[in-house]
Amino acid sequence: MLVSLNWLKQYVDINGHTPEELAELITKTGIEVESVAPIAEKMTDVVVGHVQSCEQHPNADKLNLCQVDVGEETLQIICGAPNIASGQKVAVAKPGAVLPGDFKIKKAKLRGVESNGMICSLQELGVDEKDVPKEFADGIFVFHDEVKIGDNAVELLNLDDIIIELGLTPNRADCLSMLGVAYEVAAILDQPFTPQEEVINPVEEPAADYISVKVEAPDLNPYYGAFIIKDVKIGPSPLWLRNRLIAAGVRPINNVVDITNYVLLEYGQPLHAFDLDRFGSDQVVVRRAKENETITTLDEQERILKPEHLVITNGEQPTAIAGVMGGADSEVQEDTTNILLEAAYFHPNAVRTSSKDHGLRSEASTRYEKGVDPNRVNLAGKKACELLEKYAEGTVLNGVVEFDDLNREPEQVEITTSHINERLGTGISDEEIADILRRLQFGYEQNGELFKVTVPTRRGDVELFEDMLEEIARIYGYDNLPYTLPGGASQAGGLTLHQQLKRKVKNYLQGAGLDETITYSLTKANRAEQLVSREVKEQAKAAVRLAMPMSEEHSHLRLSILPELLDSLSYNIARKQTDLAYYELGTVFISEEEQVIVQPKEQLRLSGALTGEWHVHPWQQEKKSVDFFVVKGIVEGLSELLDLPLSYQQAKLPDMHPGRTAEVFLNNQVIGFIGQIHPKLQNDLDLKETYVFDLNAEVLFDSYEIEEAFQAIPKYPSINRDIALVVDEQSFAGEIADTILEAGAPLVKDVRIFDVYQGEHLESGKKSIAFNLLYMDPNRTLKDQEVEKAHEKILSAVKERHQAELRG
Amino acid sequence: MKDRLQELQSEALGKVQQAEDLKALQDVRIAYLGKKGPITEVLRGMGKLSKEERPVIGQLANEVRETISEAIQTKQNKLEEEALEKQLEEESIDVTLPGRPVQIGGPHLLTSIIEEIEDLFIGMGFEIKEGPEVETDYYNFEALNLPKGHPARDMQDSFYITEELLLRTHTSPVQARTMKQKDGHEPVRMICPGKVYRRDTDDATHSHQFTQVEGLVVDENIKMSDLKGVLNAFAKQMFGSERDIRLRPSFFPFTEPSVEMDISCKVCGGDGCSVCKGTGWIEILGAGMVHPNVLEMAGYDPNVYSGFAFGMGPERIAMLKYGVDDIRHFYTNDIRFLKQYHKA
Ligand SMILES: [Zn+2]
């Protein structure tokens, strides 16, 4: 809402405040001021001039040589505007004047003839192109009104105004009117304000002779008032009215249209003027539209209607979509003489539906959608009649023809001073409450600390005690509230175990050299089901799709973090950042239904993607690229961190390298996978060798057990033994290690692989794996024979299960 | 014999002096103190001596041995010292060469901000709550005083999956869920960080996915001044003790009264500058007293319980605190962006 300060000052004394101070007060007390700006840049020496003569320039066809009386002198001015004529009163920038854009006016010679000043267009005076009336769009501005030669044109044209732009929240629809703003500012500044009464002088002829009103949908249209104004003369509106429209960002058109727009701005009540002679009947019938009924609206568009749309009809044809836009057929035109003026209350939902369905949002529909003041509907109609009498030479007929089923009863809210203070934490007195209510111009009956408040209907947002609490608090001033902290039983805040583990895992991965990312949950259809771990795939029927995606890029909820994470890698590599180690801890969305009905399961997963160099130490010629075992090491570290035994099994998974991928198990359940992404996929994404991991973090966290008991540090020495085994090259070292642990139990506590060899001195198709075994008994020193016995048992076990021979 | 011993001593000491390395010194030791050495030989000839002479010569022989042995030891220490010094000399390196790099990663800037907020509120006795990102229409809107048909819940603003399910548009549904969970009588003191989604085209200031931190306190006798006190404590710790806060009226369907909280501008200290658009204040978060309808729907009697709620955007806070100028930076994961904020 654009508020003209000059207009506002006609209602309320702003008490010497600067516009900025006023804006600050409004912001702090009620409504956020988005900007305070002069309507035009500062100008000097622009006055009203009278064009005494206007002749063609001797040396130029398109220029005119004018003698312009500016009061103290007559200036010779050359003007190129097509609409200049002698006898006009115009805005003249005298030599020495400064116009917007720091445009200085000097005496000059044009084609050999002296020109002392400039006759101005509205654009040159800083009026926004879109607000300039059509008649002056391509030429100079001409005063139609009585103005005195030599007077300050800047003031006359309201170009010294300040515009305060209000950012209204949906509840403050009352301030979509200048009267509403005036009440608000009056309350803030504690100034009096009473709106002027509407004064009309109707003739005796009753309006009812010309029109009848029938409402068939009173739920959507509880009030419809029809005024008849005869013999209007269409022409320009008076300067003051046009100035106010321009200040509010509304382009002046003609007196009738301008007057309805003006009343909308002042009262917040939309009005519609029909050309009575083109209305097509003598009856207004308001009803729901018929299915597929059509209307051609003012903008020349044919609109197809539905029963949800409320229409004004002449008994047969729709003549307007209620509250949204009138029909072209009954539009006020240059030759209109008789007017049917509509002042109505349309239900917010009815207008919202129509405006949405037809993509038509207007100053009118915005106000109806938020609810207009039921007590101002009729007054607004009267105000328009008053102005049509004055400025369009109209004759107002007697009475308003109406349908009236409108509830105009104000809300009653009871408050007590102590309740207000309990909720605010303040010590406001009864007197202060009474004073605030007086400033707000809310009616009340006081009985000690009890106030029975009658809320004016212009404030439709105030219904509850809490609404009154806000009114009292904001006028009292939020700055005046004390700072306190909540009392009551305090609880120990803190993180849950899961939340602690999240942080622990993040810290570990960061310490291990990975950077955390956050990618989008919404992804492309084909990506949503890519690189999905087996156990997720088994549960999920399909990736969840949005009903109406904004774009195909973000149409599905992810089942894996990896595709978007890989996209981040591609993004960086395209920017020459090639060494990347990323992880993300985030949600995937698993729906077990084909057609989603219940909320999908949200599972926390931990994923990572690494590519490029891992360790680089240039002057020592050390260089290590990321490989499978870098990633596995990171996951193993995680397993150690959480003290959860993870195991790995070679796996062939879609989009993964068939020989460099393993599924990760916890307690014999798949919980994810690690490995290299398939070289084809790498190619598609413009990636080099890239390794990933994807784990179900939720299972990891659920399985985590807090170490309660202290484990004693072993007192007895351990014994180390190495064995090298020759096995088939297809054998898995991990499985052999498992066998060793099993066969060596309980003495073997740990098995480490320290060498893998293949080549010379070995039969082809064989490899040698060297293991280091740790024997220990926490309660005593082991004897050599015991170790020897265990060792034999191990050797026979690996021979039996893996055909492993001791390397000679 | 006495003379012979003294002669041997001075001869040996001379050789010790001359020995230039540990080998030569070892040779001296073997030559003079060994079992076949001259001193042993002298002692062997002691049988020929008289009873009186024997202990005298014996003692002298021992003294000579000790003297030589001591001299060898001293020399040995010296030689070893020299050898070590030489070795250390050879081992010296260029300490100005760069060390072996340790790979370190870091948190995402939004995580840093969110964890900082979490820790601040944990310090004030708050719990951290989480909720689903795919929400029911009921929790996302209805339970928050946004009944069906309410203008603020336009289909155009949300990502719906079905008529009843959508991606949550704010973290506020966790308010309703937490209150339900607390069964309408236990006090609530929680914050809820999380991802939210809106139908916005991604540009410098909009993102279809972003994060929010929601806070809620419900108890008997919660006052608006408590909201002001908590937010003030938060703002001072998050943005600096010299910053002031102010509340000004606003509107949210789930709170009444509703306010926005501004903090005084760091750049100009409140005098007005381009950063704060001349107002001296910067908008940080929205807050308010929990609407009685919201309390009631969650099972809390609004005549007994009251509460306040607030919600803030970590992206906005990061942008203000660290001057990030484009919200898309948070989601493109440019390594150069991520690395910049590891210390944040
Ligand atoms: Zn500033």
Side-chain angles (χ1 to χ4, degrees):
Chain A
M1 172 84 182
L2 300 175
V3 176
S4 150
L5 190 60
N6 283 347
W7 188 353
L8 180 65
K9 282 179 185 168
Q10 301 297 311
Y11 301 128
V12 191
D13 180 359
I14 66 162
N15 212 1
H17 288 295
T18 66
E20 287 73 23
E21 286 167 0
L22 180 62
E24 167 89 5
L25 285 168
I26 294 173
T27 294
K28 274 172 68 168
T29 320
I31 294 150
E32 186 176 1
V33 171
E34 289 183 344
S35 64
V36 180
I39 191 167
E41 286 176 54
K42 206 167 162 46
M43 285 172 277
T44 57
D45 294 302
V46 184
V47 298
V48 177
H50 181 236
V51 184
Q52 290 179 320
S53 67
C54 175
E55 288 153 21
Q56 200 187 322
H57 188 292
N59 307 323
D61 287 352
K62 293 194 172 165
L63 295 180
N64 294 298
L65 186 59
C66 308
Q67 299 300 326
V68 186
D69 175 7
V70 293
E72 291 155 358
E73 55 186 328
T74 299
L75 299 171
Q76 171 170 300
I77 299 175
I78 293 171
C79 176
N83 64 334
I84 181 98
S86 82
Q88 287 173 337
K89 281 184 184 161
V90 293
V92 178
K94 297 198 285 188
V98 180
L99 298 187
D102 202 24
F103 179 30
K104 294 190 180 76
I105 303 301
K106 293 178 207 140
K107 293 189 179 186
K109 270 194 174 173
L110 277 171
R111 298 269 179 117
V113 181
E114 204 167 285
S115 179
N116 301 320
M118 187 170 90
I119 301 173
C120 303
S121 69
L122 286 176
Q123 291 93 322
E124 282 160 338
L125 294 173
V127 176
D128 198 330
E129 186 82 48
K130 69 170 175 44
D131 298 335
V132 173
K134 279 215 173 85
E135 60 171 314
F136 306 130
D138 301 313
I140 53 157
F141 169 75
V142 181
F143 287 99
H144 295 301
D145 303 66
E146 286 294 313
V147 286
K148 231 178 93 198
I149 295 161
D151 272 3
N152 185 339
V154 173
E155 275 176 25
L156 286 169
L157 288 167
N158 192 45
L159 297 173
D160 57 348
D161 202 355
I162 302 284
I163 305 300
I164 297 175
E165 185 177 3
L166 301 180
L168 292 175
T169 48
N171 58 325
R172 293 305 304 273
D174 61 303
C175 285
L176 282 167
S177 66
M178 286 301 293
L179 295 180
V181 174
Y183 276 112
E184 177 71 15
V185 171
I188 293 169
L189 301 179
D190 196 3
Q191 289 289 327
F193 166 62
T194 314
Q196 260 182 5
E197 240 177 86
E198 303 74 16
V199 184
I200 45 173
N201 307 293
V203 293
E204 272 186 29
E205 191 177 10
D209 285 358
Y210 288 81
I211 202 79
S212 67
V213 169
K214 189 173 157 198
V215 173
E216 293 176 355
D219 52 331
L220 302 182
N221 180 206
Y223 178 83
Y224 195 99
F227 294 84
I228 301 291
I229 305 98
K230 278 171 66 180
D231 304 325
V232 297
K233 224 178 125 205
I234 305 289
S237 317
L239 187 58
W240 67 266
L241 197 152
R242 284 198 293 190
N243 285 345
R244 288 183 177 182
L245 292 184
I246 289 173
V250 176
R251 184 206 285 257
I253 294 173
N254 62 46
N255 48 6
V256 173
V257 175
D258 291 355
I259 284 166
T260 57
N261 283 337
Y262 175 81
V263 175
L264 171 136
L265 292 171
E266 188 179 33
Y267 285 65
Q269 171 64 45
L271 301 171
H272 187 71
F274 295 98
D275 183 325
L276 181 63
D277 303 313
R278 292 188 173 99
F279 190 71
S281 81
D282 56 4
Q283 54 169 336
V284 168
V285 179
V286 186
R287 58 168 167 81
R288 288 177 164 82
K290 294 169 188 158
E291 189 76 46
N292 291 326
E293 200 171 6
T294 60
I295 179 173
T296 302
T297 42
L298 285 176
D299 54 2
E300 300 298 331
Q301 301 272 323
E302 175 162 300
R303 313 264 172 191
I304 300 165
L305 302 167
K306 293 189 292 187
E308 292 87 78
H309 305 145
L310 187 68
V311 288
I312 316 302
T313 71
N314 57 16
E316 287 176 17
Q317 300 288 322
T319 52
I321 304 175
V324 176
M325 196 179 262
D329 290 348
S330 53
E331 184 183 4
V332 170
Q333 294 176 17
E334 290 298 310
D335 62 354
T336 296
T337 51
N338 299 316
I339 286 173
L340 160 61
L341 182 76
E342 161 196 297
Y345 185 101
F346 298 121
H347 196 280
N349 289 348
V351 175
R352 190 176 309 124
T353 307
S354 298
S355 124
K356 219 169 82 181
D357 288 356
H358 298 292
L360 284 171
R361 296 208 81 216
S362 60
E363 297 277 350
S365 70
T366 308
R367 285 168 176 79
Y368 279 125
E369 281 179 34
K370 296 192 167 144
V372 295
D373 178 357
N375 279 311
R376 228 184 252 163
V377 185
N378 194 269
L379 297 179
K382 275 193 178 160
K383 178 72 179 190
C385 290
E386 173 188 329
L387 295 173
L388 287 167
E389 267 182 358
K390 271 193 205 163
Y391 301 108
E393 298 174 28
T395 304
V396 177
L397 299 198
N398 198 7
V400 49
V401 185
E402 53 187 17
F403 169 83
D404 190 358
D405 191 23
L406 184 59
N407 177 14
R408 293 182 181 79
E409 278 306 301
E411 289 283 342
Q412 306 275 346
V413 183
E414 286 192 8
I415 58 172
T416 62
T417 306
S418 55
H419 198 190
I420 294 279
N421 284 322
E422 267 165 36
R423 285 296 158 91
L424 294 180
T426 46
I428 303 174
S429 66
D430 298 342
E431 291 70 34
E432 283 172 298
I433 302 253
D435 196 50
I436 289 168
L437 294 173
R438 176 192 60 76
R439 284 167 66 177
L440 287 165
Q441 301 202 34
F442 284 14
Y444 65 91
E445 272 175 48
Q446 186 183 354
N447 188 352
E449 68 145 18
L450 173 70
F451 293 83
K452 286 185 182 163
V453 181
T454 304
V455 183
T457 50
R458 63 187 156 85
R459 291 298 307 277
D461 60 315
V462 179
E463 296 170 345
L464 307 173
F465 167 79
E466 285 73 13
D467 300 324
M468 276 311 302
L469 188 67
E470 174 162 41
E471 292 303 306
I472 303 287
R474 69 189 187 89
I475 300 296
Y476 178 72
Y478 287 124
D479 285 353
N480 297 322
L481 293 191
Y483 296 95
T484 59
L485 290 174
S490 64
Q491 60 181 33
L495 298 171
T496 62
L497 178 61
H498 266 233
Q499 290 160 353
Q500 288 172 34
L501 288 173
K502 266 198 215 175
R503 289 195 181 189
K504 186 174 170 140
V505 163
K506 286 179 175 198
N507 285 336
Y508 158 71
L509 289 171
Q510 283 150 204
L514 279 69
D515 288 306
E516 188 195 12
T517 62
I518 301 177
T519 57
Y520 293 133
S521 307
L522 285 169
T523 187
K524 285 183 203 173
N526 64 333
R527 273 193 202 162
E529 297 186 38
Q530 206 171 37
L531 297 167
V532 179
S533 186
R534 177 151 62 98
E535 85 284 10
V536 173
K537 208 175 274 179
E538 280 166 2
Q539 286 179 65
K541 271 281 177 307
V544 176
R545 187 181 188 277
L546 296 180
M548 290 189 299
M550 280 179 81
S551 73
E552 288 309 311
E553 285 291 301
H554 308 298
S555 56
H556 287 70
L557 282 168
R558 63 185 178 187
L559 281 166
S560 166
I561 295 169
L562 288 174
E564 288 289 322
L565 202 53
L566 291 175
D567 197 49
S568 292
L569 297 192
S570 302
Y571 176 92
N572 279 285
I573 284 167
R575 282 154 189 80
K576 305 269 180 289
Q577 304 296 315
T578 53
D579 304 334
L580 302 157
Y582 278 176
Y583 83 91
E584 180 164 338
L585 189 58
T587 312
V588 303
F589 303 82
I590 303 170
S591 173
E592 294 173 350
E593 307 164 302
E594 200 93 51
Q595 205 63 42
V596 180
I597 295 168
V598 298
Q599 276 167 290
K601 271 196 223 161
E602 295 185 20
Q603 191 183 78
L604 190 67
R605 290 195 79 87
L606 177 61
S607 305
L610 296 85
T611 186
E613 306 293 353
W614 180 239
H615 276 306
V616 186
H617 196 200
W619 68 268
Q620 292 194 327
Q621 279 87 49
E622 282 178 26
K623 219 175 185 187
K624 171 103 186 78
S625 294
V626 173
D627 63 15
F628 181 88
F629 298 102
V630 166
V631 176
K632 187 169 180 194
I634 290 165
V635 175
E636 282 171 339
L638 189 69
S639 125
E640 198 165 320
L641 180 83
L642 301 175
D643 196 17
L644 294 171
L646 299 183
S647 61
Y648 307 83
Q649 273 177 26
Q650 181 114 26
K652 295 199 193 314
L653 303 176
D655 290 313
M656 294 297 291
H657 190 302
R660 294 183 175 177
T661 299
E663 283 190 320
V664 182
F665 291 78
L666 174 68
N667 304 326
N668 298 319
Q669 300 283 324
V670 187
I671 62 153
F673 63 97
I674 62 172
Q676 185 187 345
I677 60 166
H678 200 288
K680 276 194 210 157
L681 182 60
Q682 281 173 185
N683 251 350
D684 291 348
L685 299 174
D686 287 324
L687 293 173
K688 299 264 165 53
E689 257 188 52
T690 300
Y691 292 85
V692 298
F693 63 87
D694 173 53
L695 302 169
N696 180 343
E698 223 144 88
V699 171
L700 290 176
F701 295 170
D702 286 342
S703 312
Y704 180 85
E705 283 170 36
I706 301 168
E707 203 67 57
E708 298 280 1
F710 165 75
Q711 285 204 336
I713 292 165
K715 277 187 233 155
Y716 300 96
S718 56
I719 295 172
N720 281 289
R721 283 285 171 88
D722 292 346
I723 48 171
L725 298 174
V726 176
V727 292
D728 194 89
E729 68 181 356
Q730 303 296 328
S731 308
F732 291 113
E735 292 176 3
I736 300 169
D738 287 344
T739 303
I740 295 174
L741 269 177
E742 200 188 309
L747 298 185
V748 175
K749 293 284 185 263
D750 195 13
V751 181
R752 284 170 201 279
I753 296 161
F754 67 91
D755 188 38
V756 179
Y757 176 79
Q758 211 168 354
E760 230 184 311
H761 309 301
L762 272 185
E763 219 179 296
S764 76
K766 296 278 181 190
K767 66 180 170 187
S768 152
I769 308 170
F771 300 87
N772 175 267
L773 280 55
L774 180 87
Y775 291 89
M776 199 179 71
D777 188 318
N779 303 316
R780 63 201 173 86
T781 305
L782 287 176
K783 295 193 189 101
D784 272 350
Q785 302 97 292
E786 291 177 284
V787 172
E788 208 48 56
K789 223 172 119 190
H791 211 70
E792 289 305 321
K793 205 173 147 200
I794 288 167
L795 287 176
S796 69
V798 295
K799 181 165 184 173
E800 190 187 322
R801 274 190 229 170
H802 308 285
Q803 293 77 48
E805 296 291 346
L806 202 57
R807 190 175 176 193
Chain B
M1 274 182 120
K2 217 177 184 174
D3 293 345
R4 174 74 184 140
L5 281 170
Q6 264 150 9
E7 193 185 315
L8 280 171
Q9 179 175 330
S10 68
E11 200 182 293
L13 290 180
K15 290 217 168 127
V16 167
Q17 192 102 58
Q18 281 160 25
E20 278 181 352
D21 53 30
L22 288 168
K23 170 90 176 54
L25 196 63
Q26 189 60 17
D27 290 346
V28 176
R29 183 195 298 275
I30 294 164
Y32 288 89
L33 303 178
K35 283 184 180 152
K36 289 169 187 164
I39 296 172
T40 317
E41 208 171 296
V42 170
L43 288 173
R44 250 185 239 133
M46 282 229 296
K48 295 170 197 159
L49 292 180
S50 69
K51 235 184 192 170
E52 293 75 30
E53 271 179 318
R54 225 180 273 165
V56 178
I57 295 301
Q59 200 190 339
L60 181 67
N62 279 336
E63 278 171 16
V64 168
R65 260 188 110 97
E66 252 163 56
T67 307
I68 296 170
S69 171
E70 240 167 64
I72 290 173
Q73 192 56 50
T74 308
K75 180 76 179 187
Q76 184 179 341
N77 288 349
K78 194 176 160 233
L79 286 173
E80 276 174 0
E81 188 75 15
E82 280 169 8
L84 184 63
E85 262 170 42
K86 198 170 159 233
Q87 185 198 341
L88 294 181
E89 183 74 23
E90 282 162 4
E91 282 172 4
S92 81
I93 50 165
D94 179 356
V95 297
T96 65
L97 280 169
R100 181 181 309 248
V102 172
Q103 185 96 336
I104 36 165
H108 192 282
L109 178 55
L110 290 177
T111 302
S112 305
I113 300 268
I114 288 170
E115 288 186 359
E116 190 179 349
I117 296 169
E118 286 177 354
D119 292 342
L120 283 176
F121 282 101
I122 286 171
M124 290 191 262
F126 283 63
E127 295 175 89
I128 314 292
K129 288 284 179 185
E130 287 151 305
E133 292 172 34
V134 175
E135 256 304 354
T136 59
D137 186 88
Y138 175 79
Y139 278 114
N140 196 72
F141 290 128
E142 261 175 75
L144 296 166
N145 202 28
L146 280 147
K148 288 214 156 95
H150 193 285
R153 53 179 288 183
D154 209 317
M155 276 290 268
Q156 301 308 315
D157 302 331
S158 326
F159 288 117
Y160 274 88
I161 293 163
T162 67
E163 257 178 47
E164 291 303 320
L165 292 180
L166 73 161
L167 297 188
R168 64 177 175 194
T169 55
H170 43 198
T171 42
S172 314
V174 185
Q175 278 188 27
R177 284 184 177 275
T178 306
M179 284 193 275
K180 268 262 161 77
Q181 188 197 331
K182 301 261 178 186
D183 216 18
H185 56 82
E186 276 177 64
V188 180
R189 202 174 283 198
M190 67 95 175
I191 65 162
C192 159
K195 290 176 188 151
V196 300
Y197 306 85
R198 290 200 194 156
R199 291 184 78 86
D200 276 321
T201 304
D202 297 340
D203 62 24
T205 51
H206 297 86
S207 179
H208 75 275
Q209 173 181 326
F210 57 102
T211 59
Q212 269 191 351
V213 179
E214 185 87 8
L216 175 71
V217 171
V218 176
D219 205 341
E220 293 176 24
N221 299 318
I222 295 294
K223 310 180 288 288
M224 197 155 181
S225 57
D226 297 336
L227 169 65
K228 197 175 167 186
V230 165
L231 292 182
N232 187 51
F234 161 73
K236 288 212 152 55
Q237 290 186 69
M238 191 80 192
F239 298 99
S241 57
E242 71 291 353
R243 313 290 283 276
D244 289 325
I245 68 157
R246 74 168 183 188
L247 304 181
R248 54 183 171 76
S250 188
F251 174 76
F252 306 106
F254 32 91
T255 49
E256 186 69 37
S258 300
V259 291
E260 305 261 8
M261 184 189 85
D262 297 337
I263 57 166
S264 56
C265 177
K266 186 168 80 175
V267 178
C268 61
D271 296 335
C273 70
S274 63
V275 173
C276 55
K277 291 184 199 137
T279 62
W281 296 95
I282 289 176
E283 190 180 317
I284 291 293
L285 55 79
M289 302 304 286
V290 182
H291 196 286
N293 293 356
V294 173
L295 286 171
E296 209 156 359
M297 274 185 280
Y300 284 82
D301 180 352
N303 296 314
V304 180
Y305 287 91
S306 53
F308 62 79
F310 53 88
M312 62 187 104
E315 279 89 347
R316 179 168 172 75
I317 291 173
M319 289 169 105
L320 287 172
K321 246 183 132 170
Y322 300 102
V324 178
D325 59 355
D326 189 325
I327 196 169
R328 286 169 296 196
H329 282 314
F330 296 109
Y331 297 97
T332 39
N333 299 302
D334 189 313
I335 185 79
R336 295 162 296 183
F337 175 82
L338 296 177
K339 291 279 185 207
Q340 256 187 71
Y341 296 104
H342 280 181
K343 283 173 285 174

